[in-house]
């Protein structure tokens, strides 16, 4: 096809034409809305680096979930911030822990929304790492035992799906085994399979109060230059029993999302993380970009790369934008 026989502009000349041949369509069904839950009542604390996001007590969380459900968003992802932390992350798997309590209250009030729980230990350990510490090292195998206990406790509380994010080797298998042996074989696992040691998590660490107290997470989260390794990580999680695979962050790793979609026959989730969200918000506030257009362009790119599920702090705004359209 050569000019002048083929003129691509013919099909761009009106919004109706553009809509008719649009290749990628973002839907509210693609979205998961992350939330941060804290102990207490009547707590709604703004997260300064994430405009429009809050640490909320369960009473406010339940109301927020009602609003999210009303927008047509099918799922929320819960992160818990306990009132105390220790070296053994005991708050992560406590029967009356913050996530366990929040899940039960949400499912009682809004039973028809999918509640996904983040299964990690960094919010619950006094040192801020995602596993148990031996000396100055994160000890893998004791960590997966705690992660399995935590994932099971979330399922017992009523979680519809658990999402292990600690990047410990064998964590998916340990959680799958614990779920299956205790009557929760029907609870799916969304694995943070390719989770990179990224600088884009900065605002989240304020929100979740989970910054490591020493060192960093480069020994267990992935090295950003690596793509083949991500495929190996994903393959391992699938073998261990993952039902959904995830790439995190999203925008700097669109190539990894596309490879995962091409290589594996499972739903692919992508996490549009806090730093990606906050950069757009900051630039929009300064008047450097159109915030709504940047939001939609960024999230549509994640969808175009192959993501079936997009976890994003923009979820309520995107839902409202789509309704207005």
């Amino acid at each position: 096809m050569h000019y002048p026989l083929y003129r691509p502009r013919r099909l761009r000349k009106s919004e109706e034409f553009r809509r008719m041949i649009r290749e990628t369509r973002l839907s509210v069904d693609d979205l998961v809305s992350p939330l941060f839950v804290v102990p207490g009542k009547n707590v709604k604390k703004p997260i300064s680096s994430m405009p429009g996001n809050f640490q909320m007590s369960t009473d406010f969380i339940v109301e927020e979930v009602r609003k999210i459900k009303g927008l047509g968003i099918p799922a929320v992802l819960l992160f818990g911030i306990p009132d105390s932390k220790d070296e053994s992350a005991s708050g992560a798997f406590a029967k009356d822990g913050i996530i366990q309590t929040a899940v039960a209250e949400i499912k009682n009030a809004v039973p028809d929304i999918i509640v996904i729980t983040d299964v990690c230990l960094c919010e619950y350990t006094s040192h801020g790492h995602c596993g148990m510490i031996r000396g100055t090292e994160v000890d893998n195998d004791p960590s997966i035992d705690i992660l399995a206990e935590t994932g099971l406790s979330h399922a017992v509380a009523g979680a519809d799906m658990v999402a292990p994010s600690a990047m410990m080797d064998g964590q998916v298998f340990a959680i799958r085994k614990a779920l299956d042996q205790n009557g929760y074989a029907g609870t799916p696992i969304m694995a943070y399979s390719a989770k990179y040691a990224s600088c884009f998590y900065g605002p989240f660490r304020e929100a979740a109060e989970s910054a490591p107290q020493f060192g960093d997470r480069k020994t267990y989260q992935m090295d950003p230059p690596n793509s083949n390794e991500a495929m190996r990580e994903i393959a391992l999680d699938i073998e261990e029993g993952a039902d959904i695979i995830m790439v995190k962050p999203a925008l700097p790793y669109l190539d990894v999302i596309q490879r995962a979609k091409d290589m594996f026959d499972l739903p692919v989730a992508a996490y549009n993380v806090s730093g990606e969200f906050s950069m757009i918000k900051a630039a929009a506030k300064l008047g450097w970009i159109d915030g709504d257009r940047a939001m939609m362009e960024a999230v549509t790119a994640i969808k175009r790369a192959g993501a079936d599920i997009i976890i994003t702090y923009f979820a309520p705004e995107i839902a409202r934008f789509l309704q207005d359209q």
Side-chain angles (χ1 to χ4, degrees):
M1 294 186 293
H2 299 287
Y3 174 83
L5 295 179
Y6 178 61
R7 292 175 179 255
R9 289 183 58 188
R10 289 175 183 144
L11 299 180
R12 301 178 193 150
K13 62 185 180 181
S14 72
E15 176 61 15
E16 287 71 29
F17 271 111
R18 293 190 293 272
R19 284 173 52 208
M20 187 168 62
I21 65 164
R22 193 158 286 155
E23 299 172 19
T24 303
R25 297 183 185 276
L26 189 65
S27 165
V28 70
D29 295 334
D30 303 325
L31 305 176
V32 175
S33 188
L35 298 170
F36 300 95
V37 59
V38 296
K41 294 290 183 183
N42 202 33
V43 178
K44 190 174 184 180
K45 179 182 176 183
I47 301 165
S48 63
S49 57
M50 297 173 65
N53 287 266
F54 303 86
Q55 292 180 340
M56 291 182 281
S57 52
T58 54
D59 48 343
F60 275 112
I61 284 283
V62 167
E63 291 308 308
E64 187 66 20
V65 171
R66 284 198 178 100
K67 294 175 185 176
I68 288 166
K69 177 64 179 175
L71 290 167
I73 297 168
V76 295
L77 173 60
L78 295 186
F79 296 91
I81 302 100
D83 53 9
S84 63
K85 307 185 181 194
D86 54 41
E87 287 194 3
S88 60
S90 61
F93 51 85
K95 184 177 180 180
D96 59 350
I98 184 60
I99 285 291
Q100 292 79 357
T101 301
V103 168
E105 293 194 21
I106 291 169
K107 294 305 294 184
N108 182 58
V110 195
D112 53 348
I113 197 164
I114 296 171
V115 176
I116 309 166
T117 57
D118 181 79
V119 180
C120 196
L121 306 180
C122 59
E123 297 104 316
Y124 304 92
T125 53
S126 52
H127 47 73
H129 278 284
C130 301
M132 300 295 99
I133 297 295
R134 182 173 61 183
T136 59
E137 301 293 326
V138 177
D139 197 353
N140 191 90
D141 291 4
S143 301
I144 63 174
D145 293 338
I146 302 298
L147 290 164
E149 187 174 359
T150 300
L152 176 59
S153 74
H154 292 181
V156 170
D160 298 293
M161 180 157 58
V162 295
S165 65
M167 287 298 286
M168 297 294 118
D169 295 343
Q171 63 181 9
V172 173
F173 177 78
I175 294 170
R176 183 73 273 157
K177 183 178 178 182
L179 292 171
D180 290 356
Q181 290 181 345
N182 289 276
Y184 293 92
T187 301
I189 295 174
M190 178 169 67
Y192 288 66
S193 300
K195 181 180 179 182
Y196 286 85
S198 172
C199 70
F200 288 94
Y201 305 146
F204 174 91
R205 289 176 181 168
E206 176 199 347
E209 300 178 9
S210 63
Q213 299 303 300
F214 64 88
D216 53 43
R217 295 176 177 148
K218 293 179 181 179
T219 63
Y220 46 100
Q221 294 178 357
M222 283 189 55
D223 194 20
N226 294 355
S227 174
N228 291 334
E229 183 185 4
M231 300 305 106
R232 294 194 294 272
E233 285 275 14
I234 292 169
L236 283 169
D237 280 356
I238 293 172
E239 289 176 11
E240 292 176 20
D243 300 281
I244 298 171
I245 54 179
M246 188 198 299
V247 177
K248 179 183 180 184
L251 290 173
Y253 300 94
L254 294 177
D255 60 316
V256 179
I257 296 169
Q258 185 172 40
R259 286 193 68 185
K261 186 63 177 176
D262 290 343
M263 287 183 65
F264 302 104
D265 188 24
L266 279 184
V268 176
Y271 202 141
N272 179 219
V273 300
S274 60
E276 300 169 58
F277 169 85
S278 296
M279 285 194 303
I280 289 175
K281 286 294 186 181
K285 183 177 180 180
L286 291 169
W288 293 347
I289 59 174
D290 181 316
D292 284 347
R293 288 185 62 189
M295 169 184 76
M296 295 304 295
E297 188 172 339
V299 180
T300 300
I302 299 168
K303 176 76 173 178
R304 188 180 66 242
D308 302 290
I309 299 164
I310 302 171
I311 304 161
T312 177
Y313 303 97
F314 285 121
E317 293 177 70
I318 293 170
R320 294 186 190 100
F321 184 92
L322 293 173
Q323 285 180 352
D324 291 343
Q325 296 303 302

